[in-house]
């Protein structure tokens, strides 16, 4: 089988497409034939060597945190999944993987997958796994969003941001999206009641907000100051400056900056499937790449500035078409 693997820490060109043995599932595991995987910040952190304590220093290292595909084999003790089931899921973000989501096959514990939405292709489903689950955790478990609250989504054009806009809107919130001006129409269609140009907006001139979802990680104290009494803020960025701001904000109690590490399991993925099935969440894909172009996809991800996800098509016709929704 073919698999994208990191051969050394560095720029995207350290990624190679290797021929390797197809893995076999052990007790409690499933083997999935992968149809799609997406590019996420976690992939960049692993490839750059910034999380060596997690990834280790032994190569090769697998590429791809998430995946969607079809179960082709189950290990002993697996009862909830059958061969032929269409599923989506993730590899464990804090363990080393020689093979990961950007491969023709991947083995994972059965509690890391759930039935994928029937209405989505493998590529479409893969685009929602990490962004959708992260946004759902932030809004429900971390923030506890309620109807009619005023929500600011900062970095609204990315994978987490587009999902947060849609989910917050479906929960009855009034959503303000902060992103590049060129994405205003698309974000409005996703549920944003107001879209602000990030290049022409300063924190001091907006708000107040009941909830702020941050996917950028800079100027966190300035944005935290825009919270209303009893407001809550969460960031998905764990950089040095962000962690310092989070620590210093602890004196503000309810208005402190919260953070978390998303690690979706079956129950959360089932909830995410329900939101897709209810029409509350849809894929936002910027570009689809064949497996051979994983390095190109990571390069494009790091450049930023686009609406939606960079997705890797593993199975089926390898296309490079772009799609908005």
């Amino acid at each position: 089988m073919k698999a994208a693997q990191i051969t050394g820490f560095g720029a995207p060109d350290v990624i190679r497409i290797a021929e390797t043995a197809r893995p076999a599932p052990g007790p409690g595991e499933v083997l999935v034939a992968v149809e799609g995987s997406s590019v996420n910040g976690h992939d960049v952190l692993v490839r750059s060597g910034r999380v060596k304590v997690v990834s280790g220093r032994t190569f090769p290292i697998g590429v791809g945190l998430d995946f969607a595909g079809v179960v082709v084999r189950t290990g002993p003790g697996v009862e909830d999944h059958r061969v032929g089931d269409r599923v989506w899921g993730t590899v464990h973000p804090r363990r080393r993987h020689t093979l990961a989501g950007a491969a023709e096959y991947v083995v994972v514990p059965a509690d890391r997958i759930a039935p994928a939405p029937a209405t989505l292709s493998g590529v479409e489903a893969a685009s929602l796994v990490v962004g959708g689950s992260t946004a759902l955790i932030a809004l429900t478990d971390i923030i506890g969003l309620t109807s009619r609250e005023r929500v600011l989504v900062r970095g609204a054009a990315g994978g987490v941001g587009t999902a947060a806009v849609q989910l917050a809107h479906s929960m009855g919130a009034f959503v303000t999206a902060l992103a590049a001006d060129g994405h205003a129409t698309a974000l409005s269609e996703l549920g944003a009641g107001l879209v602000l140009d990030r290049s022409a907006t300063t924190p001091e001139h907006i708000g107040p907000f009941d909830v702020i979802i941050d996917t950028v990680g800079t100027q966190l104290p300035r944005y935290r100051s825009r919270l209303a009494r009893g407001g809550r803020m969460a960031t998905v960025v764990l950089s040095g400056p962000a962690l310092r701001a989070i620590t210093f904000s602890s004196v503000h109690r309810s208005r402190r900056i919260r953070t978390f590490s998303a690690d979706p399991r079956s129950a959360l993925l089932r909830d995410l499937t329900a939101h897709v099935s209810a029409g509350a969440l849809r894929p936002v894909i910027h570009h689809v790449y064949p497996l051979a172009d994983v390095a190109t996809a990571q390069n494009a991800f790091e450049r930023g500035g686009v609406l939606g996800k960079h997705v890797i098509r593993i199975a089926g016709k390898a296309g490079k078409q772009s799609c908005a929704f």
Side-chain angles (χ1 to χ4, degrees):
M1 66 171 234
K2 291 182 173 62
Q5 294 182 325
I6 298 167
T7 59
F9 295 129
D13 60 7
V14 301
I15 298 172
R16 298 286 185 272
I17 306 302
E19 290 282 352
T20 186
R22 188 174 77 173
E29 296 179 331
V30 295
L31 175 67
V32 177
V34 181
E35 297 174 346
S37 180
S38 78
V39 182
N40 297 283
H42 177 270
D43 304 312
V44 175
L45 290 174
V46 171
R47 192 205 71 228
S48 67
R50 282 178 278 175
V51 289
K52 294 176 184 176
V53 67
V54 174
S55 67
R57 295 173 171 82
T58 303
F59 300 100
I61 299 172
V63 176
L65 181 60
D66 54 24
F67 59 87
V70 178
V71 175
V72 294
R73 188 175 169 188
T74 61
V78 175
E79 299 180 352
D80 293 339
H81 303 285
R82 299 177 181 274
V83 172
D85 287 352
R86 296 192 67 254
V87 298
W88 58 358
T90 65
V91 298
H92 198 295
R94 292 183 292 279
R95 292 181 185 167
R96 182 182 181 277
H97 302 278
T98 302
L99 300 173
E104 291 181 322
Y105 295 89
V106 65
V107 164
V108 293
D111 67 354
R112 301 200 67 84
I113 63 172
T119 56
L120 301 184
S121 69
V123 165
E124 291 171 329
S127 75
L128 281 174
V129 177
V130 169
S133 60
T134 301
L136 188 59
I137 291 171
L139 291 169
T140 57
D141 297 348
I142 307 301
I143 293 297
L145 181 67
T146 60
S147 178
R148 299 187 180 183
E149 288 196 297
R150 299 160 294 178
V151 176
L152 173 68
V153 179
R154 186 174 177 230
V160 176
T162 52
V165 168
Q166 295 179 75
L167 291 170
H169 171 70
S170 74
M171 295 174 187
F174 181 86
V175 181
T176 297
L178 189 60
D181 188 55
H183 303 320
T185 298
L187 290 169
S188 295
E189 292 174 356
L190 292 175
L194 177 65
V195 182
L196 299 175
D197 182 1
R198 68 184 184 191
S199 65
T201 303
T202 59
E204 291 75 20
H205 293 94
I206 58 175
F209 300 99
D210 302 301
V211 168
I212 298 175
I213 302 296
D214 172 82
T215 72
V216 181
T218 60
Q219 305 183 72
L220 296 185
R222 293 176 66 191
Y223 279 94
R224 191 209 61 78
S225 70
R226 309 318 298 159
L227 288 174
R229 184 183 298 273
R232 293 93 69 209
M233 178 176 179
T235 181
V236 301
V237 179
L238 296 178
S239 65
L243 289 172
R244 287 192 291 274
I246 292 164
T247 301
F248 293 146
S249 76
S250 62
V251 299
H252 297 284
R253 297 185 180 180
S254 71
R255 296 170 69 239
R256 72 186 187 277
I257 304 169
R258 307 153 198 248
T259 191
F260 62 98
S261 178
D263 182 17
R265 300 297 182 92
S266 296
L268 179 75
L269 292 168
R270 285 194 294 269
D271 288 346
L272 195 63
T273 297
H275 282 283
V276 175
S277 299
L281 182 63
R282 55 177 168 160
V284 183
I285 298 174
H286 174 70
H287 201 76
V288 180
Y289 303 80
L291 178 60
D293 289 349
V294 170
T296 302
Q298 287 205 11
N299 220 338
F301 174 87
E302 289 188 86
R303 288 197 303 271
V306 303
L307 177 76
K309 296 283 289 186
H310 299 278
V311 186
I312 310 301
R313 186 191 303 275
I314 311 296
K317 183 179 178 180
K320 298 177 75 173
Q321 72 273 18
S322 299
C323 48
F325 302 112

